[in-house]
Amino acid sequence: MEYRLLGRSGLKISAITMGTMTFGGVGWAKTVGAVGVAEARKLVDMCLDAGVNFIDTADVYSSGASEEILGEIIGGPRKKGVMVATKARFPMGTGPNDAGNSRYHLIEACEASLRRMKTDVIDLYQIHEWDGQTPLEETMEALDTLVRQGKVRYIGCSNFSGWHIMKALGVSEKDKRERFVSQQIHYTLETRDAENELIPVSIDQGLGILVWSPIAGGLLSGKHRRNQAAPEGTRQFAGWTEPPIRDEDRLWNIVDALVEIGESRGVSAAQVALSWLIGRKGVTSVIIGGRTEAQFRDNLASADLKLNAEERKRLDDVSLPWLQYPYWHQRNTASDRLGEADLSLLGPYLQK
């Protein structure tokens, strides 16, 4: 297992993170999975044995049940080197202050997560989603307070836009508060929107990148194929809609390439998709999830799969999205003055 620095921090985390959204199976999360304590313990042990040192959850996963199950497994004196990340922002009750990024909600949510996970400290506390009604000064002050109190070690964000991140980092610098060390984003061969702003801002500002749903909710696993109904038991069979499919023909072209590369290497399409992501500029760690030991075992194997230049180019080409404005204009007129962050997006287009 490879270990990488998380943004500008000195913290090293595994290139694969264990995700726990399948733990619990309460409410909307039933569609994802309903793994109980006994099976979850086996999955956690499997990941730790493979060298994973980072586990990700959120208070909203199964209305707290995911955190509770994780607390039963790793709560109390933790195995040395095992770190846990969680998130807050979404509703955890019906009251007017049971959601959002206010000081009130974040401090209450953090303390509730600590109780559920039976721990004294959260290694990475992440804002799960943007809140346009709470001043960022209030949000960053609340996170800074949690770090100063020793309840949180590092802070990050998830599902922010580029300007949201830059505004938050500006507030941290202005007020001398703790700054985000990472962002957790959706980024796959099928959905490369993050390359427009989120990857460049991470490179420029020194943020680590954690990728959620790295095989697109199972769409890139090889189980879903062109002109075939979604297999029973999959998220899509149950009506899961993340990520949205905007170009079905493009999706199946990507899947075809993944399956063919996987067959030539004797591995699964999922491993190929994960290996592509692990090797992308700016990516720190990909978050794998699942309901069975077989799914986790297969995903963990991607840590040892190294795609060659030809395989990577094939995947890059088949998944390359069209350039949005102002990027097509920058490609045409600014190629003489592009920086490293710019080239993370525009580089492939300059070669065409």
Side-chain angles (χ1 to χ4, degrees):
M1 181 66 66
E2 180 185 357
Y3 300 93
R4 301 171 173 179
L5 287 170
L6 185 62
R8 288 184 184 172
S9 77
L11 186 70
K12 287 190 173 184
I13 70 169
S14 45
I16 290 180
T17 292
M18 181 182 190
T20 62
M21 194 163 66
T22 57
F23 291 7
V26 176
W28 60 264
K30 267 185 197 174
T31 303
V32 182
V35 176
V37 175
E39 186 58 31
R41 192 183 304 276
K42 295 177 185 176
L43 298 176
V44 169
D45 288 344
M46 176 188 296
C47 288
L48 298 184
D49 289 345
V52 171
N53 70 351
F54 211 63
I55 303 176
D56 180 77
T57 186
D59 59 3
V60 75
Y61 294 168
S62 288
S63 301
S66 175
E67 288 185 331
E68 290 173 352
I69 290 171
L70 197 55
E72 289 297 316
I73 298 168
I74 66 167
R78 265 193 239 165
K79 181 177 178 181
K80 185 174 175 58
V82 178
M83 294 170 286
V84 65
T86 193
K87 316 176 198 74
R89 154 63 171 87
F90 290 115
M92 289 299 287
T94 58
N97 294 304
D98 289 337
N101 295 335
S102 68
R103 180 187 297 108
Y104 179 96
H105 179 66
L106 289 180
I107 291 176
E108 186 175 72
C110 179
E111 291 173 348
S113 289
L114 289 168
R115 288 193 297 272
R116 283 190 290 265
M117 294 192 293
K118 300 181 181 179
T119 186
D120 295 326
V121 63
I122 295 163
D123 297 291
L124 176 65
Y125 198 50
Q126 302 157 104
I127 300 298
H128 207 162
E129 178 61 271
W130 174 250
D131 174 358
Q133 296 185 356
T134 301
L136 270 169
E137 288 80 2
E138 178 178 341
T139 299
M140 301 314 292
E141 186 275 336
L143 294 172
D144 188 81
T145 296
L146 291 170
V147 173
R148 301 302 166 201
Q149 290 176 340
K151 296 174 181 176
V152 168
R153 289 195 170 111
Y154 299 94
I155 58 173
C157 62
S158 181
N159 304 312
F160 275 35
S161 68
W163 76 265
H164 294 154
I165 292 172
M166 287 305 299
K167 188 172 181 180
L169 294 176
V171 166
S172 293
E173 183 175 356
K174 174 177 66 73
D175 296 339
K176 295 181 171 52
R177 304 289 187 194
E178 287 290 317
R179 78 192 300 270
F180 293 142
V181 299
S182 64
Q183 59 167 325
Q184 188 173 139
I185 65 175
H186 183 66
Y187 179 36
T188 72
L189 277 161
E190 195 277 331
T191 311
R192 293 176 61 176
D193 314 47
E195 293 175 359
N196 290 332
E197 293 285 339
L198 300 181
I199 305 297
V201 80
S202 293
I203 293 170
D204 184 69
Q205 295 296 311
L207 296 175
I209 294 175
L210 308 174
V211 179
W212 61 264
S213 197
I215 53 174
L219 284 174
L220 304 181
S221 66
K223 296 177 182 177
H224 301 270
R225 301 303 302 273
R226 194 188 307 265
N227 299 323
Q228 293 181 14
E232 189 172 352
T234 63
R235 294 187 198 181
Q236 282 69 32
F237 182 84
W240 191 255
T241 57
E242 292 189 358
I245 302 171
R246 298 188 178 91
D247 186 338
E248 193 167 328
D249 190 54
R250 175 177 173 271
L251 167 64
W252 300 131
N253 289 340
I254 293 168
V255 172
D256 289 344
L258 288 170
V259 170
E260 289 171 17
I261 292 172
E263 289 176 347
S264 71
R265 298 288 294 269
V267 300
S268 69
Q271 286 184 43
V272 177
L274 290 169
S275 178
W276 181 85
L277 262 181
I278 291 170
R280 293 298 285 177
K281 180 75 172 177
V283 171
T284 309
S285 185
V286 298
I287 303 171
I288 63 168
R291 289 167 290 188
T292 67
E293 292 184 44
Q295 289 172 325
F296 271 97
R297 189 176 295 110
D298 183 76
N299 286 182
L300 287 166
S302 65
D304 298 321
L305 177 63
K306 306 299 179 188
L307 299 178
N308 61 40
E310 183 181 344
E311 291 165 336
R312 297 196 71 87
K313 185 178 187 308
R314 181 180 179 188
L315 293 172
D316 291 347
D317 290 347
V318 76
S319 64
L320 196 66
W322 55 273
L323 273 180
Q324 298 178 10
Y325 176 80
Y327 308 114
W328 55 259
H329 198 274
Q330 292 172 2
R331 176 199 59 192
N332 293 345
T333 63
S335 60
D336 61 326
R337 303 282 289 183
L338 296 176
E340 181 185 9
D342 304 311
L343 290 168
S344 69
L345 169 64
L346 295 177
Y349 300 91
L350 296 174
Q351 299 163 17
K352 291 189 175 296

